[in-house]
């Protein structure tokens, strides 16, 4: 009997090769899929996009504005390596539209620099800046690099939509128009070039937001200014967990 039992144990067939391989293959999850996707896109940080509008002094020059932002970007890049800023800066006669794409930390530093400049300088050339929206964790960039373009002639419409439409409708049309403008620049501007130039009012007049829209958004009290955003961003969150809640609540007699 012992010999027969030993013979039965040794006579077992080896497990199929497919079974062995299946047991050794690691099982992935959704987190691994997201991490692999980030590696394939060569992303070192999550990408965000911010839309800003502001009023500017009438006598300020394009060169001065471009140099200001170049210095801000270079200063931030020293502390946020590899987090390059791309986007578009449209300079109107008395206002500007700025679209920025970069990391969350870089965008926060840009707002902080404006907030400090407005607080320390009595006559800062950028005024009434408002944040239209900040889109978090966007999949790709709309712009290959950072462009500056001057709108030399006022872009106006016969009908003032700011009087007939709500703020939500104005912002919706604003985003549709700027998105079409970004796609136009992406398709027409070559990599490494200086940008679309200062003739967008001739090549794509229907894609440029009217300056009256920019001024309307700058005056809107419903939109957040950088000072309020920076304060909320720096404010710590006080979260009360369930373990900290005692019921019934203690009371004094």
């Amino acid at each position: 009997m012992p010999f027969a039992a030993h013979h039965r144990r040794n006579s077992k067939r080896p497990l199929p090769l497919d079974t062995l391989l299946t047991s050794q293959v690691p099982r992935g999850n959704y987190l691994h899929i997201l991490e692999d996707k980030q590696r394939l896109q060569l992303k070192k940080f999550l990408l965000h996009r911010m839309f800003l509008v502001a009023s500017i002094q009438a006598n300020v020059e394009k060169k001065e504005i471009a140099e200001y932002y170049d210095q801000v970007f270079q200063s931030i890049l020293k502390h946020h390596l590899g987090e390059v800023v791309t986007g578009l800066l449209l300079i109107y006669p008395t206002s500007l539209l700025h679209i920025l794409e970069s990391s969350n930390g870089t965008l926060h530093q840009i707002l902080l620099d404006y907030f400090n400049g407005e607080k320390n300088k009595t006559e800062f050339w950028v005024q009434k800046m408002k944040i239209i929206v900040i889109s978090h964790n966007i999949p790709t960039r709309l712009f290959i690099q950072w462009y500056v373009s001057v709108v030399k002639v006022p872009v106006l419409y016969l009908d003032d939509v700011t009087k007939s439409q709500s703020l939500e409708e104005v912002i919706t049309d604003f985003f549709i128009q700027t998105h079409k403008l970004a796609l136009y620049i992406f398709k027409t501007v070559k990599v490494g070039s200086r940008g679309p130039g200062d003739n967008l009012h001739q090549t794509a007049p229907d894609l440029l937001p009217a300056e009256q829209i920019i001024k309307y958004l700058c005056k809107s009290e419903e939109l957040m200014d950088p000072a309020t955003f920076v304060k909320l961003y720096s404010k710590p969150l006080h979260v009360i967990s369930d373990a900290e809640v005692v019921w019934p609540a203690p009371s004094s007699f």
Side-chain angles (χ1 to χ4, degrees), residues 216-245:
Y216 170 76
L217 296 175
C218 291
K219 297 178 182 178
S220 175
E221 297 180 357
E222 299 180 30
L223 298 176
M224 188 176 297
D225 60 277
T228 304
F229 178 85
V230 169
K231 292 178 181 178
L232 291 176
Y233 187 90
S234 305
K235 185 178 180 180
L237 295 177
H238 299 282
V239 180
I240 301 177
S241 62
D242 294 340
E244 297 175 353
V245 178

Side-chain angles (χ1 to χ4, degrees), residues 16-125:
L17 181 60
D18 295 340
T19 304
L20 292 175
L21 291 177
T22 303
S23 61
Q24 295 178 1
V25 174
R27 300 182 62 183
N29 53 34
Y30 187 63
L31 177 61
H32 293 159
I33 295 176
L34 292 178
E35 291 177 345
D36 292 339
K37 186 177 180 180
Q38 290 290 94
R39 295 191 194 97
L40 290 175
Q41 294 180 351
L42 299 178
K43 284 187 177 180
K44 297 181 181 179
F45 54 89
L46 294 179
L47 189 61
H48 310 280
R49 183 181 298 120
M50 178 170 60
F51 287 75
L52 299 173
V53 292
S55 299
I56 59 175
Q57 296 177 358
N59 58 350
V60 65
E61 297 182 359
K62 169 190 173 182
K63 183 179 180 181
E64 183 180 350
I65 299 176
E67 289 179 351
Y68 164 77
Y69 279 109
D70 284 336
Q71 293 176 1
V72 172
F73 295 161
Q74 292 298 327
S75 176
I76 296 175
L77 194 60
K78 295 178 182 179
H79 305 281
H80 297 264
L81 299 177
E83 301 178 11
V84 180
V85 178
T86 59
L88 174 66
L89 174 61
L90 291 179
I91 304 175
Y92 292 83
T94 58
S95 60
L96 61 83
L97 163 62
H98 207 175
I99 307 174
L100 298 163
E101 300 172 331
S102 190
S103 68
N104 185 52
T106 299
L107 297 182
H108 174 252
Q109 288 297 323
I110 293 174
L111 293 177
L112 189 62
D113 185 86
Y114 164 78
F115 173 67
N116 293 332
E118 185 185 37
K119 183 175 60 175
N120 297 330
K121 298 180 182 179
T122 55
E123 295 183 358
F124 194 38
W125 56 269

